[in-house]
Amino acid sequence: MRDQALLDDSSRLVVFMERYVSLMKDESAILEWEKDVWVKGLRLILLIMFVFLFSITVFVYLDNNKGGIIIGSIFLSSMLLIGLLSCYPDRHQYKITETGIYFRGYRRGRRFRQSAFKFMMIVCIPLVLFSLIWGGPMIFAGAGAGMLGIFALPAMMKERKPKEMAIPWEAIFIFCNYTEKSFTKEDKVIIPQYQIKLRCNGELANRVEDIIREKMRPDCIYTEDYFSDIESDDLKFAKEKLMDELPFVWAAHPKNVNDFI
């Protein structure tokens, strides 16, 4: 970690985690689990997009102007395609080992997105071009301009590389845990060293917490409210140890936290 090519703590942290990823991903697990996590706000965006495109589709079908049925068909196809593309949450994989904690996250639905892209190229784009030839550029004026958004769909299908992160017990000086509530569920979220979000619920959450309390270093702090404990002697001592031993693990990882994750 003293390599002169590593210019700041964030780059040191990245290299540090990469080394432990290669170790822990092949290590036997004490406990491992998976969880599907929706990107924050995705379902609300999907609902708004659906209402907007559906309203325009109905309006165009009711309009008797030239090319209205074709434009409506394109809107309807785009609406269904965008909706389906948005219906895949991220898959988070967690593993706790004797060495530490490992995380891998990736976006589900790759095969579907590839099929959707082929559908768009074969069906939707020719329909747009046909509308342009038949109705001329003015067909895209007003409500019709929205269907040009279909050309932005390939960007939605761009695949992200899976993200992997790992941190050993010796590099964890603080665990923060809290409860995250939504309309349908309640999750326990545990964040070791503010680097990786571990999401779990029910009996699994109790098992995860028990293992962490067993494995964490004796001078590590386990808190439900960091800001309330920030002035505590225990936390001050933990931060002093951190800055003395591994100051770069307090830095922000460039892909932090789990909001791919």
Side-chain angles (χ1 to χ4, degrees):
M1 295 302 105
R2 300 185 183 277
D3 189 336
Q4 295 300 312
L6 303 176
L7 302 178
D8 53 37
D9 282 342
S10 289
S11 58
R12 293 184 185 93
L13 177 64
V14 170
V15 173
F16 178 77
M17 283 196 171
E18 285 175 350
R19 292 178 181 176
Y20 278 98
V21 162
S22 63
L23 172 66
M24 286 187 222
K25 67 190 302 181
D26 297 322
E27 201 171 25
S28 298
I30 298 173
L31 179 66
E32 57 185 334
W33 71 99
E34 294 182 341
K35 192 166 185 61
D36 289 340
V37 179
W38 288 87
V39 175
K40 191 174 182 180
L42 177 61
R43 283 177 281 194
L44 177 60
I45 293 171
L46 177 59
L47 177 62
I48 293 172
M49 192 180 299
F50 178 86
V51 172
F52 172 72
L53 286 174
F54 183 76
S55 300
I56 293 179
T57 302
V58 172
F59 170 79
V60 172
Y61 268 114
L62 294 176
D63 188 3
N64 293 319
N65 289 338
K66 185 179 180 181
I69 297 298
I70 293 176
I71 297 175
S73 299
I74 295 170
F75 267 121
L76 185 59
S77 299
S78 302
M79 175 184 70
L80 294 173
L81 187 58
I82 292 172
L84 289 170
L85 285 171
S86 303
C87 284
Y88 280 91
D90 292 336
R91 170 68 55 83
H92 292 183
Q93 298 173 327
Y94 308 99
K95 182 162 74 170
I96 298 177
T97 75
E98 291 291 347
T99 302
I101 297 169
Y102 167 81
F103 164 84
R104 182 176 185 269
Y106 65 94
R107 189 183 181 195
R108 294 180 56 202
R110 179 178 179 180
R111 185 177 299 176
F112 170 78
R113 285 189 295 276
Q114 291 173 341
S115 300
F117 180 75
K118 292 177 182 177
F119 171 80
M120 184 187 71
M121 296 298 291
I122 295 171
V123 178
C124 295
I125 288 181
L127 277 173
V128 173
L129 296 177
F130 178 72
S131 297
L132 177 62
I133 294 169
W134 184 31
M138 290 305 295
I139 202 169
F140 295 114
M147 71 182 179
L148 292 176
I150 195 170
F151 291 105
L153 286 177
M156 294 179 62
M157 301 177 204
K158 185 177 180 181
E159 299 300 330
R160 294 174 293 182
K161 292 182 179 179
K163 180 194 286 188
E164 293 182 292
M165 302 176 76
I167 189 164
W169 299 112
E170 293 80 3
I172 302 172
F173 294 80
I174 184 169
F175 280 95
C176 180
N177 80 92
Y178 62 94
T179 299
E180 189 174 84
K181 297 180 180 180
S182 68
F183 291 112
T184 58
K185 59 185 176 63
E186 185 175 291
D187 285 339
K188 181 87 161 184
V189 180
I190 302 173
I191 316 179
Q193 201 54 46
Y194 293 97
Q195 298 294 346
I196 301 173
K197 284 184 180 177
L198 307 177
R199 299 175 184 271
C200 45
N201 50 29
E203 183 58 33
L204 174 62
N206 296 330
R207 290 188 63 196
V208 171
E209 189 170 349
D210 288 344
I211 293 171
I212 286 175
R213 289 186 179 275
E214 177 187 342
K215 296 294 182 182
M216 67 187 197
R217 50 189 292 163
D219 50 3
C220 180
I221 301 301
Y222 198 89
T223 179
E224 295 183 4
D225 189 344
Y226 171 80
F227 295 102
S228 296
D229 293 334
I230 196 168
E231 297 299 327
S232 70
D233 292 337
D234 288 342
L235 184 56
K236 288 179 180 178
F237 178 73
K239 290 188 71 172
E240 287 174 3
K241 293 278 289 182
L242 164 70
M243 302 311 293
D244 181 55
E245 295 180 26
L246 298 167
F248 57 85
V249 301
W250 194 253
H253 193 284
K255 298 178 181 178
N256 215 20
V257 206
N258 267 45
D259 289 324
F260 172 110
I261 290 184

